[in-house]
Amino acid sequence: MASRKSSRGAGGSPSPGSKRETKHGGSKNGKKEGLSGSSFFTWFMVIALLGVWTSVAVVWFELVDYEEVLGKLGIYDADGDGDFDVEDAKVLLGLKERSVPAQPTSPDSEETIQPADKSHVESEHKNADVELEEEIQSVLHEALHSQPGEGHEDVDESINDQWQEKEEVHGETFEAPTTDDLLRELENEIPEAYETPDSDQKDADLLTDDLGAMESEPYEAPVSYEYDMDVEKTVSDPEAPEDGVHGDYNEDHEPKHEKQTETEDTVESKHTEDVVANEPEESEMPVQAEDYSNDDLVGKSEKETEQDKTEKAKKKKKPKLLNKFDKTIKAELDAAEKLRKKGKVEEALRAFEELVNQYPQSPRARYGKAQSEDDLAEKMRSNEMLQKAINTYDEVVSLPNVPSDLIKMSLKREADRQQFLGRMRGSLVTLQKLVQLFPSDTSFKNDLGVGYLLIGDNSNAKKVYEEVLSLAPNDGFAKVHYGFILKAENKIAESIPYLKEGLESGDPGTDDGRFYFHLGDALQRMGDKEAYKWYELGYQRGHFASVWQRSLYNVKGLKAQPWWTARETGYTELVKSLEKNWKLIRDEGLAVMDKKRSLFLPEDENLREKGDWSQFTLWQQGRKNENACKSVPKTCALLERFPEATGCRRGQIKYSIMHPGTHVWPHTGPTNCRLRMHLGLVIPKEGCRIRCAQENRTWEEGKVLIFDDSFEHEVWQDAENYRLIFIVDVWHPELTAQQRRTLPAI
């Protein structure tokens, strides 16, 4: 073989061998000097062939089990490049996030880094490399000797910690407390913190007070469940008085979802973004509240502030979700949970369903199934799917060896979702179960009190809050709610200290416009000018549009002024029609007073200091009262031409009669979405007046007054005879047609 190659090299076309001979001692004319070129090449080929045959022998006779070695290392492939290398080791050491293989940095991106930043980055990289050199060997050793899958728990957990949680809680509102902040902590929990079945009960009792359910919107309409209940209640009573929405807990409850609009600066989660994007643009948005939560820290040193934060962090103990069995399947649970957190809801649900089928006694698997159904219900906007989630949450609690924290979370979420669907009594049963299981947790008692209020059972709610205050006298949440109940019972003076101390406590759930409203109203009725101090504070904190305009169901950006002219409203035809036909409207109203006086129902919302005030309603929330219109057919036929009035689902059309000696307390309507027209029908010459904000006016027969009743207004009737007017509410002229169609009724 050597001689054949030598002869080739001597031919006309020089071979690679001949070139090397020339370079290493051979002459151009073929004469050799020193070591023979052909001998060198021969030995080179022999060695090369020996190497090839050795490699073949190693593989053929399986002298080294490469598959076993590569298999063990392969499970630690974190960047998806098919092998285990330094980048994978960085992930395992926590020096790098698990991700797709890093893309080469473009020259443009490198140019944007400032020199100072470069040096800082380079130093960080050097430090990381030093740490890698010290730890890489131990990691590789563990990788080679561990069982497949052992390392996944740590990797997956570090990834889980990086996923963003779904929805955070809005500012505390007049509703059952929610748990989104807690869910964020729970679902990012590290394995050492998970609870075993025989863990101490007191660990669970250290859950944060905001344990509850994530906020959400109804799936079939952009309205919150509390608001649905208000609508249902009002529709069933078409004779509801004029401005009584602030007297009842349900009606007072500020729908948090009306705060969310497409123009909000911040959307608090991926899921919230999805839902808000599906909402009509007419969603309401009160003025954004300023954050006064750290007012008490003014003047403190940074050191003191940090100490406070540290103490608070120590007090909060993360809940624990896994029992002993669930720890053994944690890798599978983490894999399913990762799908859910990535928004792959359908895949997550299938994964958890498989786990439930495989491990029917696993509480965490079933809870994950419930969460996935919950998420899917939101995505599909399906109440049917949400009911499945509710049932699954309930199943979690029935399993053996369920960690106490998981029981709390499941029942809290179940109660919240039941309320969301308007099943208040079912939610109440769930909350009662929570209180029975955890009697020392006052936060659950507070939730139970809200549950009673939502069904109008103020008596039982009062008992609950009395019990809470006996156990925790400084509980601000209990104080404001107890004060609210006392005020609803017309115990004005008694309600003030509870409302005031509750607001001053700054406890979660107390900084709500409803409590500022009721405290100010109570102080006004006691003749205390401090009322406007609280109205001012409520305005500063974003609960009111102004000190005078204190409505709570608002659309942002609408023109706001106490008094309006017909031309400003754009409803000149309606005003002309009312003023032209005022005698017809008056005569039909007087006929009802004479023959069917019982149709006039007394105001029963505690708006009067004294006197006699009744109303006869024709339209309520955009719905015509057919029976009432039979008594005043011409008036109703006249109004049918004006949908801005008959279609105003946030107002009424009605007769209002007020007798001498009546005084109506200063009060505000519920929304800035309407304007109110008063047509004078029977007006005494003297003694009747109305104040809106800081301006007084009087009625005239046959003339229309227009004002925005979301501003504070007050009425005096000191004449010698009754006063009869016709009230027509109309949509605020700046609302769009879409908003008028879709805003929830009041």
Side-chain angles (χ1 to χ4, degrees):
M1 182 170 61
S3 61
R4 195 162 52 242
K5 288 183 178 287
S6 297
S7 64
R8 231 184 235 178
S13 60
S15 67
S18 63
K19 288 184 179 180
R20 280 193 288 272
E21 288 169 6
T22 302
K23 186 175 181 181
H24 297 285
S27 64
K28 292 182 179 179
N29 60 8
K31 293 181 180 179
K32 300 176 184 177
E33 297 178 6
L35 183 64
S36 168
S38 61
S39 298
F40 178 86
F41 185 77
T42 299
W43 282 109
F44 175 81
M45 292 303 296
V46 168
I47 293 171
L49 289 171
L50 283 173
V52 172
W53 283 108
T54 302
S55 301
V56 171
V58 168
V59 175
W60 184 262
F61 297 107
E62 297 182 349
L63 299 180
V64 178
D65 191 352
Y66 286 103
E67 184 177 354
E68 180 183 357
V69 175
L70 294 175
K72 288 185 176 180
L73 290 176
I75 64 171
Y76 295 99
D77 173 26
D79 55 10
D81 61 358
D83 62 2
F84 178 79
D85 51 21
V86 173
E87 296 302 315
D88 301 313
K90 287 181 180 180
V91 173
L92 291 175
L93 293 174
L95 299 176
K96 179 181 178 181
E97 293 184 5
R98 185 171 188 170
S99 62
V100 296
Q103 299 298 322
T105 306
S106 67
D108 294 338
S109 64
E110 291 179 354
E111 291 174 1
T112 61
I113 302 176
Q114 298 299 320
D117 294 335
K118 283 184 178 180
S119 62
H120 177 68
V121 171
E122 288 172 0
S123 65
E124 285 187 345
H125 285 179
K126 288 178 181 178
N127 293 335
D129 290 338
V130 171
E131 293 177 12
L132 267 177
E133 290 297 326
E134 294 174 352
E135 299 182 65
I136 191 68
Q137 294 301 326
S138 62
V139 173
L140 289 172
H141 178 76
E142 291 177 7
L144 287 169
H145 293 84
S146 63
Q147 293 299 319
E150 281 182 359
H152 283 297
E153 292 187 8
D154 295 335
V155 176
D156 288 344
E157 268 189 74
S158 65
I159 295 168
N160 288 346
D161 289 341
Q162 295 160 12
W163 290 114
Q164 293 297 322
E165 259 323 302
K166 65 186 222 179
E167 314 176 66
E168 129 3 6
V169 181
H170 268 287
E172 299 291 339
T173 57
F174 229 63
E175 64 180 28
T178 58
T179 68
D180 293 337
D181 290 338
L182 182 60
L183 289 176
R184 274 194 295 277
E185 294 180 1
L186 292 173
E187 294 174 355
N188 291 329
E189 183 56 38
I190 59 175
E192 288 76 13
Y194 287 126
E195 181 184 33
T196 57
D198 56 350
S199 64
D200 197 332
Q201 174 68 42
K202 66 181 180 181
D203 290 345
D205 294 335
L206 294 174
L207 279 169
T208 51
D209 289 341
D210 58 348
L211 187 89
M214 68 182 178
E215 60 170 22
S216 180
E217 296 157 335
Y219 303 124
E220 297 175 353
V223 193
S224 67
Y225 67 79
E226 301 88 355
Y227 203 79
D228 288 334
M229 293 301 292
D230 296 349
V231 174
E232 182 179 348
K233 180 176 183 293
T234 312
V235 170
S236 64
D237 180 15
E239 310 298 336
E242 181 174 346
D243 291 311
V245 297
H246 294 300
D248 179 79
Y249 187 90
N250 287 329
E251 292 174 343
D252 278 4
H253 182 60
E254 181 178 359
K256 60 188 173 184
H257 304 296
E258 293 192 346
K259 294 182 182 179
Q260 296 176 332
T261 68
E262 294 180 346
T263 59
E264 275 192 275
D265 294 333
T266 57
V267 182
E268 297 176 346
S269 72
K270 180 168 74 85
H271 292 283
T272 304
E273 287 175 345
D274 294 339
V275 179
V276 172
N278 291 330
E279 271 196 353
E281 61 183 1
E282 63 282 2
S283 298
E284 301 171 272
M285 184 178 179
V287 180
Q288 290 295 322
E290 299 177 27
D291 185 5
Y292 287 77
S293 59
N294 292 322
D295 284 355
D296 58 333
L297 299 179
V298 176
K300 288 188 177 184
S301 66
E302 291 184 7
K303 182 178 180 181
E304 289 175 326
T305 304
E306 289 301 321
Q307 288 176 349
D308 291 343
K309 291 180 179 178
T310 302
E311 290 177 3
K312 289 180 180 179
K314 288 180 180 178
K315 290 180 181 179
K316 285 188 177 181
K317 184 172 181 179
K318 288 192 174 182
K320 303 164 186 178
L321 300 181
L322 300 186
N323 62 18
K324 287 181 179 178
F325 173 76
D326 281 340
K327 286 184 179 181
T328 66
I329 60 168
K330 185 179 183 303
E332 297 171 77
L333 291 168
D334 285 347
E337 182 65 11
K338 184 162 66 175
L339 290 171
R340 191 181 73 83
K341 290 183 178 179
K342 290 176 71 174
K344 299 179 179 179
V345 184
E346 293 87 351
E347 294 180 41
L349 180 55
R350 287 194 294 270
F352 277 115
E353 284 176 340
E354 290 177 5
L355 287 173
V356 168
N357 292 334
Q358 190 174 357
Y359 312 112
Q361 299 303 306
S362 167
R364 183 62 184 88
R366 202 168 296 263
Y367 181 73
K369 178 176 179 282
Q371 286 184 303
S372 299
E373 290 169 338
D374 203 339
D375 293 345
L376 187 58
E378 182 177 337
K379 182 178 180 179
M380 297 170 59
R381 303 183 73 82
S382 166
N383 289 343
E384 181 181 354
M385 179 58 69
L386 184 56
Q387 183 57 52
K388 290 183 179 179
I390 291 171
N391 296 339
T392 308
Y393 283 124
D394 195 60
E395 291 172 5
V396 174
V397 183
S398 65
L399 296 174
N401 299 323
V402 184
S404 59
D405 289 353
L406 195 57
I407 292 175
K408 292 180 180 183
M409 291 199 51
S410 297
L411 289 177
K412 277 292 297 176
R413 188 62 175 168
E414 180 184 351
D416 178 83
R417 300 295 80 191
Q418 287 171 317
Q419 289 176 349
F420 181 79
L421 290 178
R423 293 164 188 170
M424 300 303 176
R425 295 194 181 276
S427 173
L428 198 62
V429 172
T430 305
L431 291 170
Q432 287 169 339
K433 186 187 298 185
L434 260 175
V435 170
Q436 291 169 0
L437 291 171
F438 307 102
S440 63
D441 195 325
T442 56
S443 69
F444 295 145
K445 287 185 170 65
N446 281 333
D447 294 346
L448 180 61
V450 171
Y452 280 121
L453 287 172
L454 288 174
I455 64 171
D457 189 350
N458 286 22
S459 177
N460 274 317
K462 185 178 182 181
K463 292 176 183 177
V464 169
Y465 289 121
E466 286 174 343
E467 183 180 352
V468 172
L469 291 172
S470 68
L471 296 172
N474 296 320
D475 190 311
F477 186 91
K479 281 186 175 182
V480 289
H481 285 81
Y482 190 66
F484 166 81
I485 294 169
L486 290 175
K487 184 173 180 292
E489 294 176 347
N490 209 29
K491 297 177 180 177
I492 306 299
E494 292 179 45
S495 71
I496 291 173
Y498 287 100
L499 288 166
K500 185 183 294 186
E501 291 171 13
L503 284 171
E504 289 172 344
S505 74
D507 287 351
T510 60
D511 187 22
D512 184 281
R514 296 297 178 264
F515 301 123
Y516 289 94
F517 175 90
H518 283 291
L519 175 56
D521 185 58
L523 289 168
Q524 273 187 307
R525 296 189 183 197
M526 296 300 295
D528 192 333
K529 293 183 179 180
E530 190 184 1
Y532 288 96
K533 165 193 165 184
W534 288 97
Y535 289 148
E536 176 69 28
L537 187 57
Y539 161 63
Q540 290 176 2
R541 296 193 174 182
H543 300 302
F544 306 136
S546 73
V547 173
W548 296 104
Q549 189 181 23
R550 301 190 298 273
S551 56
L552 292 162
Y553 298 85
N554 300 324
V555 168
K556 186 180 179 181
L558 298 181
K559 182 178 180 180
Q561 62 187 43
W563 295 97
W564 291 64
T565 64
R567 179 172 295 179
E568 286 175 324
T569 67
Y571 300 134
T572 52
E573 290 301 315
L574 172 60
V575 172
K576 287 178 182 178
S577 180
L578 291 172
E579 292 183 341
K580 180 180 178 180
N581 296 282
W582 75 274
K583 290 184 179 179
L584 179 153
I585 297 170
R586 178 198 64 187
D587 292 345
E588 285 196 328
L590 290 174
V592 172
M593 288 177 61
D594 292 339
K595 300 176 182 178
K596 302 178 181 178
R597 193 175 185 85
S598 61
L599 293 178
F600 278 82
L601 301 178
E603 181 275 324
D604 62 356
E605 299 297 329
N606 195 27
L607 294 175
R608 288 170 292 160
E609 178 189 12
K610 57 183 180 178
D612 185 352
W613 173 26
S614 299
Q615 298 167 85
F616 171 43
T617 303
L618 307 180
W619 267 269
Q620 176 86 16
Q621 296 180 333
R623 295 187 179 188
K624 183 179 180 181
N625 186 334
E626 298 290 349
N627 290 331
C629 279
K630 289 178 181 178
S631 300
V632 287
K634 294 180 181 178
T635 298
C636 289
L638 178 70
L639 289 165
E640 294 280 11
R641 297 168 42 212
F642 302 101
E644 62 267 31
T646 58
C648 180
R649 291 180 297 105
R650 295 202 157 190
Q652 305 98 35
I653 300 175
K654 57 193 175 184
Y655 290 89
S656 175
I657 183 169
M658 190 174 289
H659 294 275
T662 301
H663 172 231
V664 178
W665 293 111
H667 63 285
T668 62
T671 179
N672 73 341
C673 295
R674 74 187 186 199
L675 300 179
R676 176 154 284 187
M677 298 182 178
H678 280 190
L679 173 64
L681 300 178
V682 177
I683 308 298
K685 290 183 179 180
E686 294 180 353
C688 293
R689 71 185 191 277
I690 179 173
R691 172 182 67 83
C692 186
Q694 295 172 290
E695 182 179 351
N696 290 344
R697 295 196 182 182
T698 58
W699 296 273
E700 295 181 43
E701 292 182 355
K703 298 296 180 181
V704 171
L705 283 178
I706 307 174
F707 65 101
D708 184 339
D709 76 326
S710 64
F711 285 81
E712 178 182 292
H713 52 287
E714 184 176 10
V715 178
W716 295 265
Q717 216 289 40
D718 296 322
E720 296 181 355
N721 201 355
Y722 66 84
R723 179 225 67 178
L724 179 66
I725 62 173
F726 190 59
I727 297 174
V728 179
D729 290 335
V730 293
W731 285 118
H732 192 290
E734 293 183 355
L735 289 174
T736 66
Q738 170 77 356
Q739 288 172 320
R740 298 181 190 200
R741 285 194 303 270
T742 57
L743 278 170
I746 295 181

